[in-house]
Amino acid sequence: MKIFDAHCDVLSKLLEDPELDFRQEKDRLDVTLDRMLESNIGFQNFALYLPAKFSGNYRHILESIDLFHERILSNRQIRGIRTKNDLKLAQREGLIGALLSLEGVDALQGNLTYLRILFYLGVRNVGITWNYANWAADGVLEPRKGGFTSQGLKLIRECNRLGMILDVSHLSETAFWELTSQSEKPFIASHSNASHVCPRLRNLNDAQIASIIQTGGVIGITFVPSFVHAEEPAEMDHILFHIDHICSLGGSRHIGFGSDFDGIKEKIAGLEHAGKYDRLVDLLQKHYSEQDVERFIYKNWFDFYMDHLPEDNQFTD
């Protein structure tokens, strides 16, 4: 069974240390080509996230995209995904589909020309904030708990116009509801869990989950131990409680996974890296129907992107 993962941070590690080998650097990378092949990952979304030492510089976003091409897409087993047709071809040819997302718009500096350039370069998801405030909106840990700025509202409209998918993971709840009222398109939470199961600010409350379901988005359940279970240690079985809860709200067709591999230091036992994803699949198959497991692990994300990626003719005259 193929796997579709909506979030990993391997590009950040490659930016910090360009000597890392994406193919098989098993000591320092959670996501490697070998591990993706081992666990049958069919699609992986690679986040463009700048560690603090890079000070939100747009140049480093471009350098990360260059690394994506030079270290990820240069592998013959991987195909870059920009359009619906790319998605279909990767599936048909049995290649790993690689997507690009932006985690935090800080480096755009309020300049929507920079946003459009990233769209032309293949970025398809836009996570508006990390945990704190930027020029567009407040993140979930910002003490004032504000919403969008006027320029941030323009960002929403431009993403909608371009067809860039908005991502609410890390966004403040006030901004979440403003986005709900302002966006003409469905949005996602690429790596967030249910706060009813594990009460953390980064997790989504029931009203937020219901809103994402109602508007046609997808929630990527993440493997961050402290977001999975309030008490240590978090175990793989605890992930099932998040699935069950979202399903109880009518979300069986709106559940996916967003591991956050290479963005986390603590790991769930048995799910320490991308090469062990198949163990989660085995666990799911003991508790859910084959059809449901396929939806959770692959099809819900695949169908969403088939609906919302641009057509090929958008890039032709």
Side-chain angles (χ1 to χ4, degrees):
M1 186 177 291
K2 285 191 178 294
I3 294 162
F4 197 131
D5 185 86
H7 188 89
C8 78
D9 283 303
V10 68
L11 286 175
S12 294
K13 287 187 174 178
L14 293 178
L15 183 65
E16 289 192 283
D17 185 357
E19 298 305 313
L20 289 173
D21 182 0
F22 169 71
R23 286 179 167 273
Q24 54 187 6
E25 184 69 64
K26 293 185 176 180
D27 291 336
R28 291 183 287 173
L29 295 179
D30 302 332
V31 178
T32 66
L33 177 59
D34 286 353
R35 285 173 169 165
M36 295 172 81
L37 294 170
E38 180 182 348
S39 59
N40 202 23
I41 291 178
F43 291 91
Q44 177 68 62
N45 205 317
F46 292 85
L48 300 166
Y49 171 73
L50 294 183
K53 73 177 189 178
F54 292 102
S55 304
N57 190 314
Y58 186 69
R59 175 173 66 85
H60 296 304
I61 294 290
L62 298 180
E63 289 175 358
S64 297
I65 295 174
D66 182 58
L67 284 168
F68 178 67
H69 283 266
E70 291 296 315
R71 301 299 178 85
I72 311 295
L73 298 188
S74 60
N75 295 286
R76 59 181 178 80
Q77 300 96 330
I78 298 180
R79 180 187 182 96
I81 305 298
R82 294 160 51 95
T83 67
K84 298 178 193 293
N85 193 51
D86 291 331
L87 203 68
K88 289 186 287 189
L89 287 173
Q91 183 185 59
R92 186 184 310 155
E93 296 168 1
L95 298 174
I96 297 171
L99 300 97
L100 268 180
S101 61
L102 178 65
E103 186 173 20
V105 299
D106 309 54
L108 303 186
Q109 304 168 32
N111 187 335
L112 298 184
T113 297
Y114 289 172
L115 177 75
R116 289 187 285 274
I117 290 169
L118 294 188
F119 178 74
Y120 305 146
L121 292 175
V123 176
R124 293 294 175 264
N125 290 8
V126 177
I128 298 134
T129 66
W130 191 60
N131 285 331
Y132 301 100
N134 59 29
W135 59 267
D138 275 11
V140 70
L141 297 186
E142 189 64 36
R144 64 186 175 186
K145 304 182 188 302
F148 278 86
T149 65
S150 58
Q151 191 66 2
L153 295 175
K154 292 179 182 177
L155 172 76
I156 295 173
R157 292 192 290 272
E158 187 64 359
C159 285
N160 282 178
R161 185 187 73 81
L162 291 168
M164 297 182 90
I165 298 160
L166 290 161
D167 182 354
V168 299
S169 290
H170 293 287
L171 193 63
S172 74
E173 185 175 355
T174 301
F176 177 99
W177 293 115
E178 287 183 357
L179 177 61
T180 301
S181 67
Q182 294 292 320
S183 180
E184 298 174 354
K185 304 280 183 71
F187 51 85
I188 65 171
S190 64
H191 55 305
S192 296
N193 292 346
S195 65
H196 179 85
V197 176
C198 181
R200 289 292 300 263
L201 284 174
R202 269 273 287 107
N203 287 343
L204 301 165
N205 62 43
D206 285 1
Q208 291 174 303
I209 292 170
S211 177
I212 292 173
I213 292 168
Q214 183 179 5
T215 55
V218 180
I219 299 162
I221 293 172
T222 189
F223 304 156
V224 182
S226 61
F227 298 168
V228 172
H229 191 57
E231 299 178 4
E232 295 182 359
E235 299 177 357
M236 216 184 309
D237 284 354
H238 293 131
I239 293 172
L240 304 182
F241 293 103
H242 294 272
I243 295 173
D244 288 347
H245 186 71
I246 295 171
C247 284
S248 76
L249 298 173
S252 65
R253 295 179 182 272
H254 303 269
I255 294 171
F257 290 96
S259 63
D260 208 6
F261 281 139
D262 286 305
I264 53 178
K265 294 181 179 178
E266 302 298 323
K267 310 289 175 61
I268 295 172
L271 199 54
E272 292 90 352
H273 55 71
K276 295 188 176 182
Y277 231 127
D278 56 337
R279 299 187 184 189
L280 176 61
V281 177
D282 291 342
L283 176 65
L284 295 174
Q285 288 174 325
K286 294 176 182 177
H287 295 272
Y288 306 98
S289 70
E290 194 78 5
Q291 185 179 46
D292 279 342
V293 174
E294 185 181 17
R295 285 193 189 118
F296 301 157
I297 207 76
Y298 181 81
K299 196 170 188 300
N300 286 341
W301 276 127
F302 184 87
D303 289 350
F304 180 85
Y305 279 100
M306 274 303 299
D307 286 341
H308 297 289
L309 284 175
E311 303 283 354
D312 275 25
N313 60 15
Q314 186 169 336
F315 300 95
T316 58
D317 293 330

